[in-house]
Amino acid sequence: MLMSMAQVVAFRGTCSRLQVGAVFSRGGRVISTGYNGAPAGLPHCSHFTWDGAGLAPEWLRTLPFDYEDSEVWTEFIIKGGHKLHWDGGKLTSSIDAPGCSVAEHAERNGIAFAARYGLALEHSELHTTHLPCPDCARSIINAGVERVVYSRGYRITEGKKLLEAAGIKVDQLPSIDDI
């Protein structure tokens, strides 16, 4: 049930790159939830793919070269350090581009909500749609969470290593989509 709730909470995520949901509970009762997205009051992040059928985004049309000529370029860095790749028909974020620099992660949003409203997370469990990153893992450790349950892996596995080194039990459950 708690993993299903985390997957539903993920739908509130405002990052177009990935939606993640987190549910903190104690004794099977929900204490706090979090989803990834821009900090309150700030503009949402925007990640995209463009198939070349129609106009490219305004910022791309203002670059000093013909973006439709695939021989002019294949990769470039845009503001914020995001690497994009052009394959002659589609513009995409490359696999080694850094993660989103705008959105706050679901786990830390859940911790922040609990802190704002005086809800202790000591001895709680976290059900999250994705394996926590190292930054979130450190926050989870400091919040006193005792168990983390996730359904999907994350390309960076150091978060899991940190959690386990701190004595936090880490389990993977299948996603509802995988059942």
Side-chain angles (χ1 to χ4, degrees):
M1 177 190 83
L2 294 168
M3 184 58 73
S4 295
M5 290 177 74
Q7 291 171 330
V8 170
V9 170
F11 288 122
R12 294 202 62 196
T14 61
C15 180
S16 60
R17 182 171 168 257
L18 181 66
Q19 291 179 305
V20 178
V23 174
F24 292 87
S25 66
R26 191 177 306 106
R29 303 284 182 161
V30 174
I31 301 169
S32 181
T33 64
Y35 52 89
N36 64 323
L42 296 179
H44 299 302
C45 50
S46 178
H47 306 276
F48 64 90
T49 61
W50 174 64
D51 63 9
L55 292 176
E58 180 62 36
W59 64 265
L60 184 57
R61 293 196 312 262
T62 62
L63 292 175
F65 51 77
D66 181 2
Y67 58 85
E68 301 215 8
D69 183 354
S70 62
E71 293 181 18
V72 172
W73 57 275
T74 58
E75 279 190 356
F76 69 102
I77 307 294
I78 61 169
K79 56 190 164 193
H82 295 281
K83 186 184 288 187
L84 299 181
H85 178 75
W86 172 256
D87 68 7
K90 190 173 189 176
L91 178 69
T92 58
S93 293
S94 86
I95 193 72
D96 58 346
C100 181
S101 60
V102 175
E104 182 59 83
H105 290 192
E107 300 90 336
R108 289 195 311 253
N109 270 331
I111 292 168
F113 178 87
R116 177 178 274 188
Y117 292 99
L119 304 168
L121 296 178
E122 186 76 22
H123 306 296
S124 67
E125 287 190 0
L126 166 62
H127 284 74
T128 182
T129 57
H130 292 75
L131 179 66
C133 72
D135 291 337
C136 288
R138 288 189 291 273
S139 294
I140 291 164
I141 293 164
N142 285 339
V145 174
E146 293 182 344
R147 181 178 180 221
V148 173
V149 182
Y150 69 98
S151 63
R152 291 185 182 91
Y154 182 57
R155 61 185 164 84
I156 301 170
T157 59
E158 283 75 16
K160 181 177 182 182
K161 293 174 188 170
L162 284 169
L163 293 168
E164 290 173 338
I168 295 174
K169 186 171 171 49
V170 181
D171 296 307
Q172 182 174 14
L173 293 179
S175 162
I176 285 181
D177 299 334
D178 300 333
I179 297 176

PDB file of all heavy atoms in Angstrom, residues 70-99:
ATOM      1  N   SER A  70      22.684  19.210 -39.483  1.00  0.00           N
ATOM      2  CA  SER A  70      23.321  18.275 -38.561  1.00  0.00           C
ATOM      3  C   SER A  70      24.836  18.211 -38.739  1.00  0.00           C
ATOM      4  O   SER A  70      25.520  17.687 -37.891  1.00  0.00           O
ATOM      5  CB  SER A  70      22.724  16.877 -38.716  1.00  0.00           C
ATOM      6  OG  SER A  70      22.963  16.393 -40.021  1.00  0.00           O
ATOM      7  N   GLU A  71      25.377  18.741 -39.851  1.00  0.00           N
ATOM      8  CA  GLU A  71      26.823  18.734 -40.027  1.00  0.00           C
ATOM      9  C   GLU A  71      27.494  19.872 -39.267  1.00  0.00           C
ATOM     10  O   GLU A  71      28.704  19.851 -39.062  1.00  0.00           O
ATOM     11  CB  GLU A  71      27.180  18.814 -41.515  1.00  0.00           C
ATOM     12  CG  GLU A  71      26.752  17.559 -42.250  1.00  0.00           C
ATOM     13  CD  GLU A  71      27.127  17.610 -43.716  1.00  0.00           C
ATOM     14  OE1 GLU A  71      27.988  18.420 -44.091  1.00  0.00           O
ATOM     15  OE2 GLU A  71      26.542  16.831 -44.472  1.00  0.00           O
ATOM     16  N   VAL A  72      26.725  20.875 -38.847  1.00  0.00           N
ATOM     17  CA  VAL A  72      27.294  22.010 -38.133  1.00  0.00           C
ATOM     18  C   VAL A  72      27.672  21.608 -36.711  1.00  0.00           C
ATOM     19  O   VAL A  72      28.691  22.016 -36.198  1.00  0.00           O
ATOM     20  CB  VAL A  72      26.299  23.200 -38.116  1.00  0.00           C
ATOM     21  CG1 VAL A  72      26.793  24.314 -37.224  1.00  0.00           C
ATOM     22  CG2 VAL A  72      26.061  23.687 -39.532  1.00  0.00           C
ATOM     23  N   TRP A  73      26.874  20.786 -36.059  1.00  0.00           N
ATOM     24  CA  TRP A  73      27.154  20.390 -34.688  1.00  0.00           C
ATOM     25  C   TRP A  73      26.431  19.103 -34.357  1.00  0.00           C
ATOM     26  O   TRP A  73      25.443  18.760 -34.978  1.00  0.00           O
ATOM     27  CB  TRP A  73      26.762  21.486 -33.706  1.00  0.00           C
ATOM     28  CG  TRP A  73      25.319  21.892 -33.806  1.00  0.00           C
ATOM     29  CD1 TRP A  73      24.791  22.803 -34.672  1.00  0.00           C
ATOM     30  CD2 TRP A  73      24.226  21.392 -33.040  1.00  0.00           C
ATOM     31  NE1 TRP A  73      23.439  22.905 -34.490  1.00  0.00           N
ATOM     32  CE2 TRP A  73      23.055  22.048 -33.489  1.00  0.00           C
ATOM     33  CE3 TRP A  73      24.112  20.459 -32.027  1.00  0.00           C
ATOM     34  CZ2 TRP A  73      21.807  21.805 -32.956  1.00  0.00           C
ATOM     35  CZ3 TRP A  73      22.863  20.218 -31.487  1.00  0.00           C
ATOM     36  CH2 TRP A  73      21.733  20.894 -31.960  1.00  0.00           C
ATOM     37  N   THR A  74      26.925  18.391 -33.363  1.00  0.00           N
ATOM     38  CA  THR A  74      26.229  17.218 -32.857  1.00  0.00           C
ATOM     39  C   THR A  74      26.020  17.291 -31.351  1.00  0.00           C
ATOM     40  O   THR A  74      25.114  16.679 -30.833  1.00  0.00           O
ATOM     41  CB  THR A  74      26.982  15.910 -33.186  1.00  0.00           C
ATOM     42  OG1 THR A  74      28.284  15.977 -32.626  1.00  0.00           O
ATOM     43  CG2 THR A  74      27.036  15.689 -34.680  1.00  0.00           C
ATOM     44  N   GLU A  75      26.860  18.029 -30.637  1.00  0.00           N
ATOM     45  CA  GLU A  75      26.693  18.189 -29.192  1.00  0.00           C
ATOM     46  C   GLU A  75      27.051  19.601 -28.786  1.00  0.00           C
ATOM     47  O   GLU A  75      27.923  20.219 -29.387  1.00  0.00           O
ATOM     48  CB  GLU A  75      27.619  17.245 -28.419  1.00  0.00           C
ATOM     49  CG  GLU A  75      27.114  15.855 -28.299  1.00  0.00           C
ATOM     50  CD  GLU A  75      27.951  15.047 -27.321  1.00  0.00           C
ATOM     51  OE1 GLU A  75      28.964  15.542 -26.806  1.00  0.00           O
ATOM     52  OE2 GLU A  75      27.562  13.903 -27.073  1.00  0.00           O
ATOM     53  N   PHE A  76      26.370  20.114 -27.781  1.00  0.00           N
ATOM     54  CA  PHE A  76      26.740  21.404 -27.231  1.00  0.00           C
ATOM     55  C   PHE A  76      26.238  21.507 -25.800  1.00  0.00           C
ATOM     56  O   PHE A  76      25.396  20.732 -25.372  1.00  0.00           O
ATOM     57  CB  PHE A  76      26.205  22.561 -28.091  1.00  0.00           C
ATOM     58  CG  PHE A  76      24.711  22.720 -28.066  1.00  0.00           C
ATOM     59  CD1 PHE A  76      24.124  23.708 -27.307  1.00  0.00           C
ATOM     60  CD2 PHE A  76      23.909  21.881 -28.816  1.00  0.00           C
ATOM     61  CE1 PHE A  76      22.755  23.862 -27.287  1.00  0.00           C
ATOM     62  CE2 PHE A  76      22.533  22.038 -28.799  1.00  0.00           C
ATOM     63  CZ  PHE A  76      21.960  23.026 -28.032  1.00  0.00           C
ATOM     64  N   ILE A  77      26.798  22.436 -25.076  1.00  0.00           N
ATOM     65  CA  ILE A  77      26.440  22.657 -23.678  1.00  0.00           C
ATOM     66  C   ILE A  77      25.585  23.906 -23.598  1.00  0.00           C
ATOM     67  O   ILE A  77      25.926  24.945 -24.150  1.00  0.00           O
ATOM     68  CB  ILE A  77      27.700  22.863 -22.805  1.00  0.00           C
ATOM     69  CG1 ILE A  77      28.685  21.719 -23.006  1.00  0.00           C
ATOM     70  CG2 ILE A  77      27.329  23.034 -21.343  1.00  0.00           C
ATOM     71  CD1 ILE A  77      28.223  20.384 -22.526  1.00  0.00           C
ATOM     72  N   ILE A  78      24.456  23.798 -22.910  1.00  0.00           N
ATOM     73  CA  ILE A  78      23.607  24.965 -22.710  1.00  0.00           C
ATOM     74  C   ILE A  78      23.777  25.443 -21.279  1.00  0.00           C
ATOM     75  O   ILE A  78      24.410  24.775 -20.468  1.00  0.00           O
ATOM     76  CB  ILE A  78      22.123  24.660 -23.006  1.00  0.00           C
ATOM     77  CG1 ILE A  78      21.582  23.580 -22.073  1.00  0.00           C
ATOM     78  CG2 ILE A  78      21.937  24.273 -24.455  1.00  0.00           C
ATOM     79  CD1 ILE A  78      20.090  23.419 -22.140  1.00  0.00           C
ATOM     80  N   LYS A  79      23.191  26.587 -20.976  1.00  0.00           N
ATOM     81  CA  LYS A  79      23.328  27.142 -19.634  1.00  0.00           C
ATOM     82  C   LYS A  79      22.944  26.101 -18.578  1.00  0.00           C
ATOM     83  O   LYS A  79      22.056  25.309 -18.777  1.00  0.00           O
ATOM     84  CB  LYS A  79      22.486  28.405 -19.497  1.00  0.00           C
ATOM     85  CG  LYS A  79      21.042  28.231 -19.821  1.00  0.00           C
ATOM     86  CD  LYS A  79      20.354  29.569 -19.898  1.00  0.00           C
ATOM     87  CE  LYS A  79      19.025  29.363 -20.619  1.00  0.00           C
ATOM     88  NZ  LYS A  79      18.415  30.555 -21.019  1.00  0.00           N
ATOM     89  N   GLY A  80      23.648  26.107 -17.479  1.00  0.00           N
ATOM     90  CA  GLY A  80      23.424  25.143 -16.418  1.00  0.00           C
ATOM     91  C   GLY A  80      24.237  23.875 -16.605  1.00  0.00           C
ATOM     92  O   GLY A  80      24.167  22.968 -15.810  1.00  0.00           O
ATOM     93  N   GLY A  81      25.012  23.792 -17.701  1.00  0.00           N
ATOM     94  CA  GLY A  81      25.868  22.640 -17.916  1.00  0.00           C
ATOM     95  C   GLY A  81      25.197  21.434 -18.539  1.00  0.00           C
ATOM     96  O   GLY A  81      25.792  20.382 -18.658  1.00  0.00           O
ATOM     97  N   HIS A  82      23.939  21.552 -18.964  1.00  0.00           N
ATOM     98  CA  HIS A  82      23.255  20.415 -19.577  1.00  0.00           C
ATOM     99  C   HIS A  82      23.800  20.169 -20.972  1.00  0.00           C
ATOM    100  O   HIS A  82      23.882  21.072 -21.785  1.00  0.00           O
ATOM    101  CB  HIS A  82      21.746  20.655 -19.625  1.00  0.00           C
ATOM    102  CG  HIS A  82      21.132  20.725 -18.274  1.00  0.00           C
ATOM    103  ND1 HIS A  82      20.851  19.601 -17.546  1.00  0.00           N
ATOM    104  CD2 HIS A  82      20.802  21.771 -17.507  1.00  0.00           C
ATOM    105  CE1 HIS A  82      20.339  19.968 -16.384  1.00  0.00           C
ATOM    106  NE2 HIS A  82      20.304  21.272 -16.335  1.00  0.00           N
ATOM    107  N   LYS A  83      24.183  18.937 -21.232  1.00  0.00           N
ATOM    108  CA  LYS A  83      24.707  18.563 -22.542  1.00  0.00           C
ATOM    109  C   LYS A  83      23.554  18.033 -23.385  1.00  0.00           C
ATOM    110  O   LYS A  83      22.792  17.176 -22.942  1.00  0.00           O
ATOM    111  CB  LYS A  83      25.776  17.502 -22.393  1.00  0.00           C
ATOM    112  CG  LYS A  83      26.468  17.162 -23.704  1.00  0.00           C
ATOM    113  CD  LYS A  83      27.469  16.040 -23.541  1.00  0.00           C
ATOM    114  CE  LYS A  83      28.689  16.500 -22.798  1.00  0.00           C
ATOM    115  NZ  LYS A  83      29.739  15.447 -22.772  1.00  0.00           N
ATOM    116  N   LEU A  84      23.426  18.556 -24.597  1.00  0.00           N
ATOM    117  CA  LEU A  84      22.398  18.092 -25.515  1.00  0.00           C
ATOM    118  C   LEU A  84      23.056  17.454 -26.727  1.00  0.00           C
ATOM    119  O   LEU A  84      24.192  17.771 -27.066  1.00  0.00           O
ATOM    120  CB  LEU A  84      21.517  19.257 -25.955  1.00  0.00           C
ATOM    121  CG  LEU A  84      20.760  19.974 -24.845  1.00  0.00           C
ATOM    122  CD1 LEU A  84      19.915  21.091 -25.413  1.00  0.00           C
ATOM    123  CD2 LEU A  84      19.883  19.004 -24.077  1.00  0.00           C
ATOM    124  N   HIS A  85      22.335  16.569 -27.371  1.00  0.00           N
ATOM    125  CA  HIS A  85      22.862  15.867 -28.532  1.00  0.00           C
ATOM    126  C   HIS A  85      21.859  15.961 -29.680  1.00  0.00           C
ATOM    127  O   HIS A  85      20.661  15.803 -29.478  1.00  0.00           O
ATOM    128  CB  HIS A  85      23.105  14.406 -28.165  1.00  0.00           C
ATOM    129  CG  HIS A  85      23.606  13.592 -29.318  1.00  0.00           C
ATOM    130  ND1 HIS A  85      24.902  13.686 -29.760  1.00  0.00           N
ATOM    131  CD2 HIS A  85      22.983  12.697 -30.112  1.00  0.00           C
ATOM    132  CE1 HIS A  85      25.053  12.869 -30.783  1.00  0.00           C
ATOM    133  NE2 HIS A  85      23.911  12.265 -31.015  1.00  0.00           N
ATOM    134  N   TRP A  86      22.381  16.215 -30.878  1.00  0.00           N
ATOM    135  CA  TRP A  86      21.559  16.270 -32.084  1.00  0.00           C
ATOM    136  C   TRP A  86      21.956  15.110 -32.975  1.00  0.00           C
ATOM    137  O   TRP A  86      23.121  14.964 -33.347  1.00  0.00           O
ATOM    138  CB  TRP A  86      21.806  17.597 -32.802  1.00  0.00           C
ATOM    139  CG  TRP A  86      21.168  17.685 -34.151  1.00  0.00           C
ATOM    140  CD1 TRP A  86      21.787  17.571 -35.347  1.00  0.00           C
ATOM    141  CD2 TRP A  86      19.802  17.913 -34.428  1.00  0.00           C
ATOM    142  NE1 TRP A  86      20.894  17.710 -36.369  1.00  0.00           N
ATOM    143  CE2 TRP A  86      19.653  17.926 -35.823  1.00  0.00           C
ATOM    144  CE3 TRP A  86      18.676  18.101 -33.634  1.00  0.00           C
ATOM    145  CZ2 TRP A  86      18.433  18.127 -36.453  1.00  0.00           C
ATOM    146  CZ3 TRP A  86      17.460  18.302 -34.247  1.00  0.00           C
ATOM    147  CH2 TRP A  86      17.350  18.315 -35.634  1.00  0.00           C
ATOM    148  N   ASP A  87      21.002  14.235 -33.321  1.00  0.00           N
ATOM    149  CA  ASP A  87      21.334  13.092 -34.177  1.00  0.00           C
ATOM    150  C   ASP A  87      20.894  13.305 -35.615  1.00  0.00           C
ATOM    151  O   ASP A  87      20.831  12.368 -36.403  1.00  0.00           O
ATOM    152  CB  ASP A  87      20.748  11.797 -33.615  1.00  0.00           C
ATOM    153  CG  ASP A  87      19.224  11.760 -33.684  1.00  0.00           C
ATOM    154  OD1 ASP A  87      18.604  12.661 -34.286  1.00  0.00           O
ATOM    155  OD2 ASP A  87      18.644  10.800 -33.139  1.00  0.00           O
ATOM    156  N   GLY A  88      20.572  14.542 -35.981  1.00  0.00           N
ATOM    157  CA  GLY A  88      20.125  14.851 -37.325  1.00  0.00           C
ATOM    158  C   GLY A  88      18.614  14.856 -37.450  1.00  0.00           C
ATOM    159  O   GLY A  88      18.073  15.332 -38.434  1.00  0.00           O
ATOM    160  N   GLY A  89      17.913  14.346 -36.469  1.00  0.00           N
ATOM    161  CA  GLY A  89      16.456  14.326 -36.520  1.00  0.00           C
ATOM    162  C   GLY A  89      15.804  14.519 -35.169  1.00  0.00           C
ATOM    163  O   GLY A  89      14.608  14.713 -35.067  1.00  0.00           O
ATOM    164  N   LYS A  90      16.601  14.453 -34.110  1.00  0.00           N
ATOM    165  CA  LYS A  90      16.035  14.562 -32.768  1.00  0.00           C
ATOM    166  C   LYS A  90      17.054  15.186 -31.828  1.00  0.00           C
ATOM    167  O   LYS A  90      18.226  14.834 -31.862  1.00  0.00           O
ATOM    168  CB  LYS A  90      15.634  13.179 -32.269  1.00  0.00           C
ATOM    169  CG  LYS A  90      14.831  13.178 -30.999  1.00  0.00           C
ATOM    170  CD  LYS A  90      14.346  11.776 -30.693  1.00  0.00           C
ATOM    171  CE  LYS A  90      13.365  11.786 -29.564  1.00  0.00           C
ATOM    172  NZ  LYS A  90      12.815  10.460 -29.303  1.00  0.00           N
ATOM    173  N   LEU A  91      16.612  16.113 -31.017  1.00  0.00           N
ATOM    174  CA  LEU A  91      17.442  16.754 -30.013  1.00  0.00           C
ATOM    175  C   LEU A  91      17.075  16.159 -28.665  1.00  0.00           C
ATOM    176  O   LEU A  91      15.909  16.147 -28.287  1.00  0.00           O
ATOM    177  CB  LEU A  91      17.187  18.269 -30.009  1.00  0.00           C
ATOM    178  CG  LEU A  91      17.948  19.095 -28.989  1.00  0.00           C
ATOM    179  CD1 LEU A  91      19.426  19.119 -29.366  1.00  0.00           C
ATOM    180  CD2 LEU A  91      17.399  20.504 -28.955  1.00  0.00           C
ATOM    181  N   THR A  92      18.059  15.617 -27.940  1.00  0.00           N
ATOM    182  CA  THR A  92      17.787  14.998 -26.646  1.00  0.00           C
ATOM    183  C   THR A  92      18.880  15.359 -25.655  1.00  0.00           C
ATOM    184  O   THR A  92      19.982  15.720 -26.035  1.00  0.00           O
ATOM    185  CB  THR A  92      17.737  13.459 -26.742  1.00  0.00           C
ATOM    186  OG1 THR A  92      18.964  13.000 -27.263  1.00  0.00           O
ATOM    187  CG2 THR A  92      16.584  13.003 -27.618  1.00  0.00           C
ATOM    188  N   SER A  93      18.560  15.230 -24.365  1.00  0.00           N
ATOM    189  CA  SER A  93      19.585  15.344 -23.329  1.00  0.00           C
ATOM    190  C   SER A  93      20.451  14.108 -23.427  1.00  0.00           C
ATOM    191  O   SER A  93      19.939  13.003 -23.554  1.00  0.00           O
ATOM    192  CB  SER A  93      18.956  15.413 -21.945  1.00  0.00           C
ATOM    193  OG  SER A  93      18.238  16.586 -21.769  1.00  0.00           O
ATOM    194  N   SER A  94      21.759  14.286 -23.369  1.00  0.00           N
ATOM    195  CA  SER A  94      22.628  13.122 -23.480  1.00  0.00           C
ATOM    196  C   SER A  94      22.625  12.350 -22.166  1.00  0.00           C
ATOM    197  O   SER A  94      22.289  12.869 -21.118  1.00  0.00           O
ATOM    198  CB  SER A  94      24.035  13.533 -23.867  1.00  0.00           C
ATOM    199  OG  SER A  94      24.787  13.864 -22.748  1.00  0.00           O
ATOM    200  N   ILE A  95      23.044  11.104 -22.247  1.00  0.00           N
ATOM    201  CA  ILE A  95      23.013  10.210 -21.089  1.00  0.00           C
ATOM    202  C   ILE A  95      23.921  10.692 -19.968  1.00  0.00           C
ATOM    203  O   ILE A  95      23.644  10.466 -18.801  1.00  0.00           O
ATOM    204  CB  ILE A  95      23.379   8.765 -21.507  1.00  0.00           C
ATOM    205  CG1 ILE A  95      23.053   7.775 -20.404  1.00  0.00           C
ATOM    206  CG2 ILE A  95      24.833   8.654 -21.911  1.00  0.00           C
ATOM    207  CD1 ILE A  95      21.599   7.542 -20.206  1.00  0.00           C
ATOM    208  N   ASP A  96      25.001  11.407 -20.319  1.00  0.00           N
ATOM    209  CA  ASP A  96      25.916  11.835 -19.271  1.00  0.00           C
ATOM    210  C   ASP A  96      25.674  13.271 -18.825  1.00  0.00           C
ATOM    211  O   ASP A  96      26.486  13.856 -18.138  1.00  0.00           O
ATOM    212  CB  ASP A  96      27.367  11.642 -19.689  1.00  0.00           C
ATOM    213  CG  ASP A  96      27.719  12.397 -20.961  1.00  0.00           C
ATOM    214  OD1 ASP A  96      26.804  12.837 -21.655  1.00  0.00           O
ATOM    215  OD2 ASP A  96      28.920  12.518 -21.250  1.00  0.00           O
ATOM    216  N   ALA A  97      24.535  13.820 -19.193  1.00  0.00           N
ATOM    217  CA  ALA A  97      24.188  15.162 -18.734  1.00  0.00           C
ATOM    218  C   ALA A  97      23.962  15.116 -17.228  1.00  0.00           C
ATOM    219  O   ALA A  97      23.494  14.113 -16.698  1.00  0.00           O
ATOM    220  CB  ALA A  97      22.938  15.664 -19.436  1.00  0.00           C
ATOM    221  N   PRO A  98      24.278  16.194 -16.523  1.00  0.00           N
ATOM    222  CA  PRO A  98      24.036  16.203 -15.082  1.00  0.00           C
ATOM    223  C   PRO A  98      22.545  16.164 -14.783  1.00  0.00           C
ATOM    224  O   PRO A  98      21.731  16.465 -15.648  1.00  0.00           O
ATOM    225  CB  PRO A  98      24.652  17.530 -14.637  1.00  0.00           C
ATOM    226  CG  PRO A  98      24.659  18.380 -15.857  1.00  0.00           C
ATOM    227  CD  PRO A  98      24.819  17.450 -17.013  1.00  0.00           C
ATOM    228  N   GLY A  99      22.200  15.757 -13.564  1.00  0.00           N
ATOM    229  CA  GLY A  99      20.807  15.737 -13.171  1.00  0.00           C
ATOM    230  C   GLY A  99      20.229  17.144 -13.137  1.00  0.00           C
ATOM    231  O   GLY A  99      20.921  18.127 -13.349  1.00  0.00           O
TER     232      GLY A  99
END
